[in-house]
Amino acid sequence: MLDSPGTKRLPSPQIGVRAQAELWARPTESTLLTTTLIAGTARWSAWGRVSWGIRLPDLGEAYLGPEAALYADRTGYRKWSLGLHATDFGLPPLIAAPPALSEMRFRVSAGWVYEEQIRRPGIYGTVTAWLPL
């Protein structure tokens, strides 16, 4: 919604630079640690997420575990979240008919989010897909 009370305080659109860095580490054969940082100059904003997961063979090939994220910008707006994720799994063979889809990997996450300025808790959910190199 472009005319909500929250958007009226935002600066006008700006040209800027955005940088993203990710680190995926497997400290052991059955654990995964990820960190992501995205920073931009248009709103002088930053977003970061850290997650940890363990692979449970009985539940398939995904790593399951907690995640936490924080977003902040120069206006003083902050939003943080806590949730759970399942990372690095593929589609079941029955669904992945085309060869390109059979190579795709996925991450799903969901949890609790809190926006500090409006003091409103909520829920979030994400789905991410990628093709390994």
Side-chain angles (χ1 to χ4, degrees):
M1 178 179 263
L2 297 176
D3 64 350
S4 74
T7 58
K8 290 178 182 175
R9 291 187 299 266
L10 293 176
S12 61
Q14 302 286 324
I15 294 175
V17 176
R18 180 179 171 179
Q20 178 171 340
E22 287 199 54
L23 174 66
W24 288 46
R26 291 189 172 93
T28 69
E29 288 291 319
S30 63
T31 59
L32 174 69
L33 174 66
T34 70
T35 59
T36 303
L37 179 61
I38 301 171
T41 62
R43 289 200 175 130
W44 293 103
S45 62
W47 179 83
R49 176 181 64 209
V50 62
S51 68
W52 178 85
I54 188 166
R55 181 176 277 170
L56 302 172
D58 294 340
L59 297 178
E61 52 191 358
Y63 292 90
L64 306 173
E67 68 176 12
L70 173 65
Y71 172 86
D73 67 25
R74 71 176 170 187
T75 68
Y77 177 82
R78 284 192 303 275
K79 176 171 64 173
W80 54 275
S81 61
L82 297 171
L84 299 173
H85 72 94
T87 299
D88 201 15
F89 62 92
L91 292 174
L94 297 175
I95 296 173
L101 286 180
S102 66
E103 298 297 320
M104 289 186 80
R105 308 302 291 168
F106 294 90
R107 173 188 180 102
V108 295
S109 58
W112 184 76
V113 64
Y114 186 75
E115 295 181 63
E116 290 186 5
Q117 281 186 327
I118 56 177
R119 293 185 168 95
R120 181 177 65 195
I123 58 172
Y124 74 92
T126 64
V127 177
T128 306
W130 69 92
L131 286 169
L133 297 177

